[in-house]
Amino acid sequence: MTARVDAAFAKNLPKVELHAHLTGSITPQCLHEIWTQKKSGDPSMTLQDPLEAMSKDKVWDIMTFFPLFSKYIYELCSTPASIVYSINAVLRDFKEDGVVYLELRTTPRSSSSMSKDDYIATILSCIDDFPHRNVMTTYLILSIDRRNIPEEAMEVVDLAIQYQSRGIVGVDLCGDPSKGDISTFKEAFHKAKLYGLKITLHFAEVPASSSLLELKTLLSFRPDRLGHVVHVPDKIKAQIKASKLGLELCVSCNVQARLIEGGVADHHFMSWIKTGCPVILCTDDVGIFDSTLSNEYLLVAQAFNLSRDDLIDLCDQAVEAIFGDRHEKQRLCALVKEARENRMPID
Ligand code: IMP
Ligand code: ZN
């Protein structure tokens, strides 16, 4: 028997974050600072202040959520300087929340002042220069957007291969689940696999992206992990269980974006825990959903009556599913072991 879980305990856990979109992880405050800077250089700029556009009382759904990126945040963060400013803030925020290992994902994009290559090179330089690399190691995953044409998807994979030796560990499929034809990405994911990149896929987020045909096609890409796994038919569930795929569960995102009905206690977290697949709690877009990774641990502990040991077990499962190498696994296993030894007994 150990003491109850509280915010301080959750923060001190050696947490691994495996599903965080870079642009969605920028806080409204950081975006506000970028906005202020931009506005002072161009007072005629019409973009709304992020503190209003992304205020806490905003209700997100699939119709409002995706345009927030394409029509708003990308406009604000379109220069190398704004990318550097925001990624440094994102890295600091995760580190301050007690994250010890981070796999950040992002969709390569270009603007009038940078190419996709510049975008990725800039992010990798910031990761290299992050002053707390000994406390939190960071790797990058490149995302294919569901709206991409096959050539764009292949470009993402080629960029991932080009920068693989600098810390790109995998390729993701993300974007509006009501859009795109995922069968056109077969070749791109095949090439990624061929070059030793790991694969993670947004999977069964909404009913429209959960047909048996779509889910079977996605599994044919031979993913190593899956994100969300909300609307999964039993037949596919059995396949996922047999392959022991790592499952990235984003509880606050699913509740707030109404991908599930009800609250945290209604989340499919427990049903996946029972399958024995590694379950990894993740934030998805902490800048939008305003729930840090330590808060996600706290929320599930409260909703499902989990103990300190249960949460340490969750940290352990996350380590199992990382795309980093065995040295990273060893480092993280030692941190989890230390947390287990130091967990406070009941007094
Ligand atoms: P970026 O890839 O760093 O630009 O992060 C923002 C992008 O992540 C968005 O344009 C979406 O394509 C993707 N994204 C963020 N959250 C979700 C989600 O919950 N489901 C699917 N895609 C997402
Ligand atoms: Zn996501």
Side-chain angles (χ1 to χ4, degrees):
M1 189 75 169
T2 54
R4 276 168 57 83
V5 171
D6 56 17
F9 177 79
K11 192 163 177 174
N12 283 326
L13 283 168
K15 293 176 293 301
V16 160
E17 169 65 85
L18 301 184
H19 187 137
H21 298 269
L22 169 54
T23 311
S25 301
I26 311 169
T27 61
Q29 177 57 37
C30 175
L31 289 170
H32 169 74
E33 287 155 22
I34 292 169
W35 178 86
T36 307
Q37 179 86 21
K38 237 178 139 99
K39 186 91 180 161
S40 71
D42 175 13
S44 66
M45 183 179 79
T46 54
L47 279 180
Q48 203 184 0
D49 184 337
L51 294 180
E52 290 163 21
M54 297 166 67
S55 71
K56 284 195 170 74
D57 54 9
K58 280 261 150 74
V59 180
W60 301 107
D61 60 27
I62 192 167
M63 303 298 284
T64 53
F65 179 72
F66 290 99
L68 178 73
F69 294 102
S70 53
K71 296 199 165 50
Y72 181 71
I73 307 180
Y74 289 167
E75 294 279 314
L76 269 178
C77 295
S78 57
T79 60
S82 57
I83 303 293
V84 168
Y85 192 80
S86 52
I87 186 170
N88 283 337
V90 166
L91 294 175
R92 260 194 326 268
D93 291 345
F94 277 115
K95 185 246 160 199
E96 277 166 22
D97 187 43
V99 171
V100 292
Y101 175 96
L102 171 65
E103 285 175 14
L104 210 49
R105 61 185 72 188
T106 199
T107 322
R109 60 188 163 93
S110 58
S111 68
S112 56
S113 59
M114 65 181 182
S115 64
K116 289 183 182 178
D117 195 321
D118 295 335
Y119 177 69
I120 300 304
T122 303
I123 294 167
L124 288 169
S125 296
C126 291
I127 291 174
D128 281 345
D129 296 343
F130 184 56
H132 307 285
R133 287 177 58 188
N134 56 337
V135 180
M136 181 183 81
T137 44
T138 304
Y139 294 86
L140 202 60
I141 292 171
L142 296 193
S143 300
I144 293 172
D145 189 292
R146 291 177 65 106
R147 286 167 306 180
N148 285 165
I149 57 169
E151 290 75 14
E152 287 168 323
M154 197 56 96
E155 196 186 356
V156 172
V157 172
D158 286 337
L159 274 169
I161 294 166
Q162 182 186 334
Y163 286 109
Q164 201 169 2
S165 63
R166 286 196 53 198
I168 295 190
V169 287
V171 178
D172 162 49
L173 176 70
C174 74
D176 187 338
S178 66
K179 303 258 158 69
D181 175 2
I182 54 103
S183 69
T184 62
F185 302 137
K186 258 183 201 155
E187 266 182 61
F189 281 105
H190 180 71
K191 183 164 183 184
K193 207 72 186 175
L194 212 60
Y195 279 80
L197 289 159
K198 301 282 188 180
I199 292 175
T200 176
L201 305 170
H202 282 65
F203 195 86
E205 267 179 289
V206 297
S209 64
S210 306
S211 70
L212 217 47
L213 177 64
E214 167 147 349
L215 299 185
K216 278 184 178 168
T217 306
L218 288 173
L219 289 180
S220 77
F221 298 168
R222 293 189 292 139
D224 300 278
R225 295 197 312 247
L226 300 174
H228 296 290
V229 285
V230 187
H231 303 276
V232 185
D234 286 346
K235 199 171 161 189
I236 299 286
K237 213 173 208 176
Q239 230 176 307
I240 293 171
K241 184 177 168 184
S243 310
K244 277 210 150 218
L245 296 181
L247 305 174
E248 306 154 357
L249 300 188
C250 311
V251 177
S252 287
C253 159
N254 295 169
V255 171
Q256 291 185 41
R258 302 183 211 187
L259 297 181
I260 63 160
E261 275 180 34
V264 177
D266 305 298
H267 195 269
H268 44 289
F269 168 82
M270 265 304 175
S271 76
W272 282 113
I273 286 276
K274 286 178 192 149
T275 63
C277 288
V279 165
I280 311 106
L281 291 178
C282 304
T283 54
D284 211 1
D285 299 287
V286 59
I288 296 163
F289 302 117
D290 194 28
S291 177
T292 58
L293 188 56
S294 58
N295 196 52
E296 294 295 291
Y297 276 79
L298 189 58
L299 288 176
V300 295
Q302 288 165 346
F304 303 108
N305 198 22
L306 303 185
S307 67
R308 291 186 172 207
D309 281 338
D310 293 332
L311 291 199
I312 293 170
D313 287 345
L314 272 179
C315 293
D316 228 354
Q317 294 190 31
V319 173
E320 224 182 291
I322 67 167
F323 289 167
D325 65 14
R326 67 187 170 87
H327 300 291
E328 282 295 351
K329 277 200 178 152
Q330 278 164 5
R331 178 180 78 87
L332 298 172
C333 283
L335 290 174
V336 174
K337 186 165 177 267
E338 201 179 304
R340 212 180 279 288
E341 285 162 3
N342 292 340
R343 81 200 187 292
M344 278 211 312
I346 220 154
D347 47 29

